[in-house]
Amino acid sequence: MSAREQRRLRRNFIKNSIIEEGVLVKADPNAVHVELDVHTIGPSAFEGCTRLQSVEAPRVHTIEEYAFIRCTGIVNITFPKLQTIGEGAFRGCTSLVDITFPNLRTIREYAFRGCTSLVDITFPDLQTIREGAFVDCTSLVDITFPNLQTVGIGAFTRCTSLVDITFPKLQTIGKYAFSGCTSIVNITFPNLQTIRDYAFSGCTSLVDITIPDLRTIREHAFHECTSLVDITFPKLQTIGKYAFTRCTSLVNVTFPNLQTIEKEAFWGCTSLVDITFPNLQTIREDAFTRCTSLVNVTFPNLQTIEKEAFWGCTSLVDITFPNLQIIGEHAFIRCTGIVNITFPKLQTIGEGAFWGCASLVDITFPDTLQTVGKQAFWGCGLITVDLPPTLLNIGLNAFQCRRRIEFDNLNDVTQYLIASNLKPRPQSSDNRKAHWKRFYTKLQDDYFYHCAVKTGDFHVAVTKVGTLYTIISDNRQSMQAKTYDSTQCPICLDPLLGKKWTRACGHNICIPCAEGLYTHSGPAPCPLCREEPIVDFGNKSKLRF
């Protein structure tokens, strides 16, 4: 184009545009190639100028919001003194390929959103990228921001061609910053301390991460990064919820200063083999659920494991937690490979903690143990159990294992633990009686009874010293012990003064409780030993006193 033609186009552009005090307010809608002598391009100045191909403005330092929105034909822009780009300034410029802003400091929200042809950007002085600035720039391959400090929420979301990112001075990454960048392989942030929620979620090609000063990883930060193999964060202290969920290629993790893992942090990391967290004190629920290849776990300072933390970790064999105090509900459920467990300071084993650990055949309970929850060892392979004298509480069927268990060193307090090793009660009365008889033959003396009273079904263990009976009853949640004298009614504990009902089995019950046991359906068994009465209980007048 000749100089004469350029001058004519510039005159026509100025004639058909609105420029006020160095600010381009509204551009000529038919502009193609534009040279401007203004310092600011106002809001929506070039909106919808689909014929526009290039703009040169050597004095412009500010582009305000939506200035070039939907300029689908623009290819090149040059603003050597530009410092600020407003919200949505180049949104939807689908032909824009190359941009150079050597003095740019700030890019505001959604400035280049949907610029699907943009390939390479270099902003040497850029410090801040706001929310969604480059969302859906699907052709963007290389970005260089040597002075960048802040990346806003979703700034590069779904930039599916982005491969390598290096921000040497970056300090903050917002939520979803690189979410869905499926081609990213390497990231290097030497000064970054916090990664926000979903920052790299779905980066399925990510292999190498270098963040030496990282302190905190928020929830879903690396969710489904399926190519990630080995990660080391020497200063990491906190891992948020779902941070590495379904990172199916992850094999080794090293976090020497880690203190907290939130729930489901490594859920479904099926290749994870070895984990060492020397300073970790608490593992939240489902943290390592379905880590089916996990073999070695080393937590020397761990104190609490919450529910289902290692659910389905079928390759775990030997676990040692020297300072562990609490194991939550179903913490090791279906860990079918566990053979040995060592926890010298354990105090509480939660409900179903080792449910279905079929290979677990031997366990040593420390003298600190106080509580074993119901079904804690259901379906395990335990044969011999040595119960500590400190044990105070145990749930229903805690030791209902695959075979008969022999309990060593039982005393008057721990007799009731046998009651938790029962199988489900049969439905028919004939089978029920046969069921109890089998258990009678397995136990020394008659410590075990089944009791049916007004409040429902209970499992009861009884020890007798002189006239004193100790009954430990199960209220379907936990075992509770209480002592009563044989001169008392075993149901209401009131003194047996005057008339009482003496059963054929020899047990005495007060009249009000006997009437409470009356049923119209036929004889009622003894609430302690389940023996049937020798008289017809269908008529109250036939009660024997």
Side-chain angles (χ1 to χ4, degrees):
M1 183 183 296
S2 64
R4 188 177 199 178
E5 182 67 18
Q6 291 178 0
R7 287 195 296 271
R8 186 183 65 82
L9 290 174
R10 189 180 301 111
R11 285 195 301 271
N12 289 337
F13 176 80
I14 294 173
K15 179 181 178 181
N16 297 321
S17 300
I18 301 174
I19 300 176
E20 298 177 354
E21 297 181 354
V23 178
L24 177 64
V25 178
K26 189 63 180 176
D28 179 4
N30 296 314
V32 178
H33 299 282
V34 175
E35 294 182 10
L36 292 173
D37 189 21
V38 295
H39 58 73
T40 301
I41 297 177
S44 305
F46 287 91
E47 181 179 0
C49 294
T50 55
R51 298 180 59 192
L52 186 66
Q53 295 181 15
S54 65
V55 178
E56 291 185 16
R59 293 181 57 237
V60 167
H61 57 71
T62 302
I63 297 177
E64 297 189 0
E65 60 268 21
Y66 308 109
F68 293 89
I69 187 170
R70 293 191 299 277
C71 292
T72 55
I74 195 168
V75 177
N76 298 307
I77 49 179
T78 303
F79 301 128
K81 295 185 178 180
L82 186 65
Q83 295 182 5
T84 302
I85 296 179
E87 179 179 347
F90 295 91
R91 183 171 180 173
C93 295
T94 54
S95 299
L96 188 61
V97 175
D98 187 24
I99 51 178
T100 302
F101 305 140
N103 294 304
L104 186 65
R105 300 291 179 86
T106 302
I107 298 177
R108 300 208 176 270
E109 295 84 346
Y110 306 102
F112 294 92
R113 179 171 186 172
C115 294
T116 54
S117 299
L118 193 61
V119 175
D120 184 21
I121 51 178
T122 302
F123 303 140
D125 291 333
L126 186 66
Q127 295 181 1
T128 303
I129 298 176
R130 300 293 186 191
E131 178 179 346
F134 294 92
V135 171
D136 293 324
C137 292
T138 53
S139 298
L140 191 61
V141 175
D142 189 17
I143 51 178
T144 303
F145 305 134
N147 292 300
L148 186 65
Q149 297 180 8
T150 302
V151 175
I153 298 173
F156 294 91
T157 297
R158 294 186 298 277
C159 292
T160 53
S161 298
L162 198 60
V163 175
D164 191 6
I165 50 177
T166 301
F167 302 146
K169 295 184 179 181
L170 188 67
Q171 296 180 4
T172 303
I173 290 183
K175 298 178 181 179
Y176 301 92
F178 295 90
S179 178
C181 295
T182 54
S183 298
I184 285 183
V185 176
N186 301 306
I187 55 176
T188 303
F189 306 135
N191 293 307
L192 186 65
Q193 295 188 5
T194 300
I195 295 179
R196 301 288 179 185
D197 312 28
Y198 296 89
F200 296 92
S201 176
C203 294
T204 54
S205 299
L206 185 61
V207 174
D208 187 28
I209 307 174
T210 303
I211 313 176
D213 288 333
L214 188 65
R215 301 289 201 282
T216 303
I217 297 176
R218 302 294 186 193
E219 62 183 75
H220 290 97
F222 294 92
H223 174 78
E224 292 187 347
C225 292
T226 53
S227 298
L228 200 58
V229 176
D230 190 4
I231 50 178
T232 301
F233 300 134
K235 297 181 180 180
L236 186 66
Q237 297 179 1
T238 302
I239 297 178
K241 297 183 290 186
Y242 320 106
F244 294 92
T245 298
R246 294 195 181 97
C247 292
T248 53
S249 298
L250 192 61
V251 176
N252 297 308
V253 291
T254 304
F255 308 139
N257 290 299
L258 189 66
Q259 296 179 6
T260 302
I261 294 180
E262 295 295 339
K263 70 176 185 179
E264 299 189 34
F266 293 90
W267 193 99
C269 294
T270 54
S271 299
L272 190 62
V273 175
D274 186 23
I275 50 177
T276 301
F277 304 141
N279 293 312
L280 186 65
Q281 297 184 1
T282 301
I283 296 178
R284 303 295 182 192
E285 58 188 84
D286 293 294
F288 296 93
T289 292
R290 296 188 180 180
C291 293
T292 53
S293 299
L294 190 60
V295 176
N296 299 311
V297 290
T298 304
F299 306 131
N301 290 306
L302 188 66
Q303 296 182 7
T304 302
I305 298 176
E306 294 191 356
K307 66 177 183 179
E308 300 183 2
F310 292 91
W311 188 93
C313 294
T314 54
S315 298
L316 271 180
V317 176
D318 190 0
I319 52 179
T320 301
F321 303 129
N323 290 296
L324 186 64
Q325 297 179 10
I326 299 174
I327 297 178
E329 299 176 6
H330 305 105
F332 294 91
I333 185 172
R334 293 196 175 98
C335 293
T336 54
I338 288 183
V339 176
N340 299 308
I341 49 179
T342 303
F343 27 61
K345 296 183 180 180
L346 191 65
Q347 297 179 8
T348 301
I349 299 177
E351 176 184 338
F354 294 91
W355 193 98
C357 296
S359 300
L360 184 61
V361 296
D362 188 22
I363 186 171
T364 301
F365 294 112
D367 290 339
T368 55
L369 186 64
Q370 298 180 6
T371 300
V372 177
K374 65 180 181 180
Q375 296 186 341
F377 294 91
W378 192 97
C380 294
L382 293 175
I383 301 174
T384 302
V385 174
D386 189 355
L387 299 171
T390 55
L391 195 57
L392 300 176
N393 191 10
I394 192 167
L396 178 64
N397 295 331
F399 291 94
Q400 184 169 322
C401 297
R402 302 176 64 191
R403 64 193 76 184
R404 176 189 171 190
I405 294 180
E406 295 183 4
F407 296 90
D408 295 335
N409 300 323
L410 291 180
N411 54 38
D412 287 344
V413 177
T414 58
Q415 291 290 349
Y416 70 89
L417 294 175
I418 302 170
S420 65
N421 192 33
L422 295 178
K423 297 179 181 179
R425 295 186 295 275
Q427 297 299 316
S428 70
S429 59
D430 292 338
N431 288 340
R432 187 184 297 119
K433 285 191 291 184
H435 180 67
W436 301 131
K437 287 181 179 179
R438 287 198 298 273
F439 273 95
Y440 283 145
T441 60
K442 292 179 181 179
L443 301 175
Q444 294 179 355
D445 303 320
D446 55 345
Y447 287 121
F448 175 76
Y449 299 89
H450 177 264
C451 175
V453 293
K454 292 180 292 184
T455 54
D457 286 348
F458 291 81
H459 286 107
V460 177
V462 181
T463 60
K464 180 181 179 183
V465 179
T467 62
L468 293 179
Y469 288 80
T470 299
I471 293 185
I472 299 87
S473 60
D474 185 347
N475 63 359
R476 298 182 184 276
Q477 297 296 326
S478 63
M479 289 287 191
Q480 296 176 342
K482 60 184 177 180
T483 301
Y484 76 99
D485 193 286
S486 58
T487 60
Q488 297 174 318
C489 174
I491 297 176
C492 65
L493 301 184
D494 288 338
L496 291 173
L497 302 175
K499 291 184 177 181
K500 58 182 180 294
W501 180 36
T502 302
R503 302 302 309 271
C505 56
H507 294 127
N508 299 322
I509 301 173
C510 71
I511 298 302
C513 290
E515 292 179 347
L517 290 171
Y518 169 78
T519 64
H520 293 283
S521 59
C526 174
L528 287 180
C529 64
R530 303 295 293 170
E531 289 293 332
E532 300 293 342
I534 61 173
V535 296
D536 182 8
F537 197 24
N539 188 337
K540 290 184 182 180
S541 63
K542 294 183 179 181
L543 290 177
R544 186 179 64 172
F545 300 113

